[in-house]
Amino acid sequence: MALGLRCFRLVHPAFCNSLAALTRPVSEVTLQTVRRRQNDHGQCMAYATVPVRHFATKKAKAKGKGQSQTRMNLNTALVEDIINLEEVDEEMKSVIEALKDNFNKTVNIRTSPGSLDNITVVTADGKLALNQISQIAMKSPQLILVNMASFPECTAAAIKAIRESGMNLNPEVEGTLIRVPIPKVTREHREMLVKLAKQNTNKAKDSLRKVRTNAINKVKKSKDKASEDTIRLIEKQISQMADDTVAELDRHLAVKTKELLG
């Protein structure tokens, strides 16, 4: 029996190596050398580690999928040949600037002469700004005067435009002189200005949608110049730019609302 155990000790490493070779279909099997000391003699024995198959988890697959998409980089020269994204960005930024300018001029707690400057008046010669056909001055903290002496025929149109400006103004006419009383700063007046700010913001978003639609339509007309994947990526980029601009418009509205309501 002792002889049998000695033989098994000699055969054991070879047997393990053979077994490891048979179970090697997935990955290389590593041998761990374990040094054991028996009877004050160093003896080295090799044991085969169990082969392990590494399966991709759902998270890893999702990550890999995302990486394959990010490898689809756009060629800058190709994009410029299809559309100038910098110009699109400038158009979107101009929408933001127009809203900020509108807020500063027309959506204020205290009405000033400058808030009437850009009120659009429909005349026989087309649409003109009020300050182009009149002289606007502050008579007192409670009254603005609009002198229509240079264009008396536009007086009625100017009165209508002031009333429909959304600033809660009720002008009174004396010949060619339009008297515009400044509303008292009441809670109702503040809430009316907030409503006006929201209306102007929605108009700005309409303008932004036109910019986005025009840009995407231009990209779609260039399908013969680029692959569908490239066209799709450019469209996504434009949409993201538009979404960022909408967020900026909403931010300015929130700031203005807080200012108006105190």
Side-chain angles (χ1 to χ4, degrees):
M1 182 174 179
L3 180 61
L5 290 175
R6 292 181 60 188
C7 292
F8 177 75
R9 288 175 181 174
L10 295 175
V11 173
H12 179 264
F15 175 75
C16 290
N17 290 337
S18 299
L19 181 59
L22 294 175
T23 58
R24 198 193 300 263
V26 179
S27 60
E28 291 296 326
V29 178
T30 59
L31 295 178
Q32 298 177 341
T33 302
V34 180
R35 181 175 298 275
R36 292 185 176 180
R37 188 173 299 274
Q38 295 180 348
N39 300 323
D40 297 329
H41 294 286
Q43 183 178 10
C44 293
M45 299 184 67
Y47 296 91
T49 59
V50 178
V52 178
R53 180 183 295 273
H54 298 282
F55 293 97
T57 62
K58 291 183 178 180
K59 184 176 181 180
K61 289 180 180 178
K63 183 178 180 181
K65 184 178 181 180
Q67 290 176 343
S68 63
Q69 292 177 346
T70 56
R71 283 197 294 269
M72 296 177 61
N73 296 323
L74 292 174
N75 184 291
T76 303
L78 182 60
V79 173
E80 292 179 351
D81 188 46
I82 296 173
I83 191 170
N84 190 327
L85 291 179
E86 290 185 1
E87 290 183 359
V88 176
D89 184 57
E90 288 300 321
E91 289 185 53
M92 292 184 178
K93 287 180 179 178
S94 67
V95 174
I96 297 175
E97 293 303 317
L99 180 67
K100 291 166 61 178
D101 186 60
N102 179 279
F103 281 173
N104 291 332
K105 291 182 177 179
T106 65
V107 189
N108 293 300
I109 296 176
R110 295 290 182 182
T111 305
S112 64
S115 63
L116 305 183
D117 287 348
N118 295 317
I119 291 179
T120 302
V121 181
V122 180
T123 70
D125 297 325
K127 295 181 179 181
L128 299 173
L130 183 60
N131 63 354
Q132 291 181 295
I133 58 177
S134 68
Q135 293 180 345
I136 306 173
M138 179 73 80
K139 177 68 174 178
S140 71
Q142 291 79 34
L143 182 65
I144 297 176
L145 297 181
V146 180
N147 192 332
M148 300 294 298
S150 299
F151 295 87
E153 69 278 8
C154 298
T155 301
I159 292 174
K160 181 181 179 182
I162 294 172
R163 283 178 178 164
E164 296 177 353
S165 65
M167 290 186 284
N168 194 32
L169 301 175
N170 294 304
E172 303 169 355
V173 62
E174 294 180 0
T176 58
L177 187 65
I178 301 175
R179 300 167 59 87
V180 184
I182 298 176
K184 294 181 179 180
V185 183
T186 62
R187 182 68 182 181
E188 289 74 14
H189 180 58
R190 290 174 182 271
E191 291 176 352
M192 183 278 301
L193 290 176
V194 170
K195 183 178 180 180
L196 178 61
K198 291 180 179 179
Q199 292 175 348
N200 292 340
T201 302
N202 289 334
K203 289 180 181 179
K205 290 180 180 180
D206 289 338
S207 299
L208 177 63
R209 277 191 286 270
K210 291 180 181 179
V211 174
R212 175 185 176 278
T213 300
N214 291 338
I216 289 181
N217 286 341
K218 184 175 181 180
V219 172
K220 288 181 177 179
K221 292 179 181 179
S222 304
K223 288 186 176 181
D224 58 330
K225 298 181 181 179
S227 66
E228 292 184 3
D229 288 337
T230 300
I231 295 297
R232 191 178 302 109
L233 287 175
I234 297 175
E235 291 177 354
K236 287 183 178 180
Q237 176 65 24
I238 294 172
S239 296
Q240 183 60 56
M241 293 164 59
D243 290 342
D244 293 342
T245 305
V246 168
E248 186 69 9
L249 294 174
D250 288 337
R251 187 184 70 80
H252 284 292
L253 174 61
V255 172
K256 193 64 180 180
T257 300
K258 184 177 180 180
E259 172 191 322
L260 293 172
L261 296 179

